[in-house]
């Protein structure tokens, strides 16, 4: 028994180290490769709108393809094997970008197909990895381990973003596309190492792959019957809809409208990730003390006006300070939402639920980007168009806070207060029927309060 216990501890520690190593390599790929897709399209001579949509349309296509994930995992019979195989395919999908950048051209339809494969293979690793993760990391240390791993991830994401220095050097040397070839080559190598590390993880519960249900319409209705699951995922979808009205166009805005150099864009982006690294220990302590629900509230409130703050000044120092503020907000939001997914969705249901969620997420991201593209086409890609876009996304995020009230019932109870205000306002209008406001002000009924207490626990 002692030998088995020691072996189990050794295996657990090894898995935790491999999880950090995989996260480091994945984030390096993301910073060096994925974050440069839009800038690469601009360098090839495509328009700001066409380049911006490259951040979401291939994502939407990839999300449709990844619906086969639950069937594939059951067929292969191993979460580990499925995840590392598609991580390797994602690494290979970056090779055509290296070739296209080396020869100096790539048709836009080829670029969209290649990046769609990149997203499809990446999405196919996500839900199985989330299911696998909880079998590798015990609940008691999950919050602490996640914040520790996140600090490593944000650090190496920042290192990956130093690809901006390579792009800057390539532009100054008159070889801008060759610089992109180097950057995408680094990203492909990083993901290859990530796939190797994933293949070396253990699989404590090998039978879990066979328990995963395909996301048929009947299964989806049953899995989403839980109110908290629906509320959490609905809020997350609404939030990302708001975010992606502007998110794909920040790169074109900084590069084309503000005229920032590659190194300046890198510094602005580094403000976000440096802030996350600095604040994640604090966020971890807040999560342990107050719970992930309240930390999610804090992150949502802080990020709501963030896009509008870009209109205050276009000075580099201001943009960096702003991104430090945004980084703290995102650290709270990401930590709170990630841990709530694990707390809310059972392990055996997580893969089909998150597979469907990823499709819904890609859909709302694409819709948000199309809405943003429509605004820019209508208003123009100048300061006026981007100002309208940033005010619009901030207003939409404010509205999305009302959905958060059903997730964290001990929070601000915005929905209840807004309903009370609306009823009082309506009662002041002549001819409208009045409603007993005292019933509203008494708050939720006892069964609802009991549900709230159970959810809070």
């Amino acid at each position: 028994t002692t030998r088995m216990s020691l072996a189990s501890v050794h295996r657990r520690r090894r898995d935790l180290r491999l999880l950090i190593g995989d996260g480091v390599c994945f984030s390096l790929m993301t910073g060096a490769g994925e974050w440069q897709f839009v800038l690469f399209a601009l360098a090839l001579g495509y328009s700001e709108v066409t380049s911006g949509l490259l951040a979401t349309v291939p994502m939407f296509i990839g999300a449709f393809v990844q619906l086969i994930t639950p069937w594939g995992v059951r067929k292969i019979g191993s979460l580990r094997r499925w995840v590392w195989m598609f991580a390797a395919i994602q690494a290979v999908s970056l090779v055509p970008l290296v070739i296209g950048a080396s020869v100096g051209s790539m048709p836009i339809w080829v670029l969209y197909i290649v990046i769609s494969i990149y997203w499809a293979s990446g999405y196919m690793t996500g839900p199985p990895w989330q299911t696998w993760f909880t079998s590798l990391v015990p609940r008691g240390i999950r919050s602490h381990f996640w914040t520790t791993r996140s600090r490593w991830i944000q650090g190496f994401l920042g290192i990956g973003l130093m690809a901006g220095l390579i792009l800057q050097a390539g532009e100054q040397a008159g070889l801008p596309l060759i610089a992109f070839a180097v950057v995408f080559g680094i990203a492909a190598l990083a993901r290859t190492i990530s796939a190797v590390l994933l293949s070396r993880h253990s699989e404590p519960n090998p039978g879990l792959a066979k328990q995963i249900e395909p996301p048929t319409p009947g299964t989806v209705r049953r899995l989403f019957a839980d109110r908290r699951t629906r509320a959490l995922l609905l809020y997350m979808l609404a939030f990302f809809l708001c975010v992606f009205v502007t998110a794909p166009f920040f790169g074109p805005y900084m590069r084309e409208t503000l005229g920032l150099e590659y190194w300046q864009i890198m510094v602005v982006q580094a403000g976000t990730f440096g802030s996350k690294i600095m604040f994640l220990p604090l966020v971890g302590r807040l999560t342990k003390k107050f719970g992930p629900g309240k930390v999610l509230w804090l992150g949502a409130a802080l990020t709501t006006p963030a896009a509008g703050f870009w209109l205050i000044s276009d000075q580099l120092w201001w943009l960096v300070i702003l991104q430090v503020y945004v980084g703290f907000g995102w650290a709270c939001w990401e930590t709170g939402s990630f841990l709530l997914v694990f707390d809310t969705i059972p392990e055996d249901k997580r893969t089909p639920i998150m597979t469907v969620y990823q499709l819904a997420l890609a859909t709302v991201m694409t819709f948000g980007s199309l809405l943003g593209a429509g605004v820019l086409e209508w208003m123009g890609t100048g300061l006026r168009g981007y100002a309208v876009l940033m005010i619009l996304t901030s207003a939409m995020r404010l509205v999305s806070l009302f959905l958060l009230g059903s997730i964290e019932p001990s929070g601000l109870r915005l929905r209840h207060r807004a309903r009370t205000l609306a009823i009082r306002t309506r009662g002041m209008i002549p001819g409208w029927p009045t409603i007993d406001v005292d019933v509203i002000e008494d708050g939720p009924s006892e069964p609802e309060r009991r549900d709230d207490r159970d959810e809070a626990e």
Side-chain angles (χ1 to χ4, degrees), residues 284 380 455:
E455 288 172 1

Side-chain angles (χ1 to χ4, degrees), residues 79 135 203-209 211 347:
L79 292 168
S135 68
E203 193 166 6
N205 188 0
L208 195 57
Q211 300 173 19
E347 184 180 73

Side-chain angles (χ1 to χ4, degrees), residues 24 57 76-77 97 114 182 210 215 231-232 262 293 298 311 336 343 354 356 378 421 438 443 445 447 455:
V24 161
V57 174
I76 289 181
L97 299 180
V114 168
V182 173
K210 293 293 186 180
L232 174 61
Y262 284 123
L298 178 60
L311 302 176
D343 290 346
M354 296 311 292
V356 174
W378 177 42
L421 178 62
D438 291 335
S445 64
E455 288 172 1

Side-chain angles (χ1 to χ4, degrees), residues 36-37 58 94 150 205 292 409 427 447:
Q36 316 306 326
F37 291 161
L94 291 165
S150 295
N205 188 0

Side-chain angles (χ1 to χ4, degrees), residues 41 67 79 89 94 116 127 154 158 198 220 285 294 336 405 421 438:
L67 286 176
L79 292 168
I89 292 173
L94 291 165
S116 296
Q154 298 303 324
L198 286 168
V220 170
R285 290 194 293 271
K294 287 189 175 65
L421 178 62
D438 291 335

Side-chain angles (χ1 to χ4, degrees), residues 73 109 112 154 159 197 243 295 301 307 311 389 418:
V73 172
W109 63 271
Y112 270 76
Q154 298 303 324
I159 293 174
L197 294 177
V243 168
V295 171
L311 302 176
L389 210 58

Side-chain angles (χ1 to χ4, degrees), residues 139 142-144 146-147 228 232 235-236 282-301 329-345 404 407-411 455-457:
R139 184 185 183 91
R142 196 172 296 158
S143 176
H144 174 72
W146 179 252
T147 54
R228 285 205 75 198
L232 174 61
Y235 163 70
M236 291 169 65
L282 171 61
V283 173
R285 290 194 293 271
L286 291 174
T287 303
K288 187 174 182 179
K289 183 175 182 179
F290 299 108
K294 287 189 175 65
V295 171
L296 177 59
W297 257 109
L298 178 60
W330 271 104
C332 293
W333 196 95
E334 290 172 355
T335 301
S337 61
F338 187 84
L339 293 176
L340 277 176
V341 165
F342 286 121
D343 290 346
T344 304
I345 305 174
L404 196 50
I407 300 170
E408 180 52 45
S410 59
E455 288 172 1
E457 291 172 2

Side-chain angles (χ1 to χ4, degrees), residues 39-261:
L39 296 178
F40 179 50
L42 289 170
L44 289 172
Y46 297 112
S47 71
E48 292 178 49
V49 172
T50 300
S51 301
L53 290 177
L54 193 65
T56 56
V57 174
M59 185 187 300
F60 178 69
I61 297 171
F64 259 109
V65 176
Q66 61 91 39
L67 286 176
I68 68 170
T69 297
W71 284 281
V73 172
R74 285 173 63 91
K75 181 70 174 178
I76 289 181
S78 169
L79 292 168
R80 179 179 63 85
R81 193 179 307 125
W82 177 271
V83 170
W84 77 256
M85 281 174 51
F86 280 93
I89 292 173
Q90 189 174 38
V92 173
S93 72
L94 291 165
V95 174
L97 299 180
V98 177
I99 297 171
S102 299
V103 301
S105 66
M106 178 174 276
I108 191 64
W109 63 271
V110 175
L111 190 57
Y112 270 76
I113 289 174
V114 168
I115 296 179
S116 296
I117 295 172
Y118 170 90
W119 280 110
S121 54
Y123 273 142
M124 287 181 182
T125 66
W129 182 86
Q130 289 179 329
T131 301
W132 185 22
F133 177 87
T134 51
S135 68
L136 296 172
V137 184
R139 184 185 183 91
I141 65 169
R142 196 172 296 158
S143 176
H144 174 72
F145 175 76
W146 179 252
T147 54
T148 301
R149 184 176 183 270
S150 295
R151 293 187 75 189
W152 281 95
I153 286 175
Q154 298 303 324
F156 275 81
L157 187 56
I159 293 174
L161 288 171
M162 292 179 68
L165 297 177
I166 299 175
L167 300 180
Q168 186 70 45
E171 186 174 57
Q172 291 176 348
L175 300 169
L177 292 177
I178 295 298
F180 276 103
V182 173
V183 165
F184 291 141
I186 293 172
L189 178 61
R191 189 50 162 163
T192 301
I193 297 173
S194 166
V196 172
L197 294 177
L198 286 168
S199 70
R200 297 181 63 190
H201 283 65
S202 67
E203 193 166 6
N205 188 0
L208 195 57
K210 293 293 186 180
Q211 300 173 19
I212 293 174
E213 298 180 81
T216 61
T219 302
V220 170
R221 284 194 298 270
R222 179 168 52 80
L223 293 177
F224 283 88
D226 180 70
R227 185 173 66 85
R228 285 205 75 198
T229 298
R230 290 198 314 272
L232 174 61
L233 298 183
L234 180 61
Y235 163 70
M236 291 169 65
L237 291 172
F239 179 81
F240 279 110
L241 170 65
C242 305
V243 168
F244 271 76
V245 170
T246 51
F249 305 105
F250 274 116
Y253 174 67
M254 289 188 286
R255 182 68 176 157
E256 302 295 329
T257 303
L258 298 185
L260 299 184
E261 301 286 346

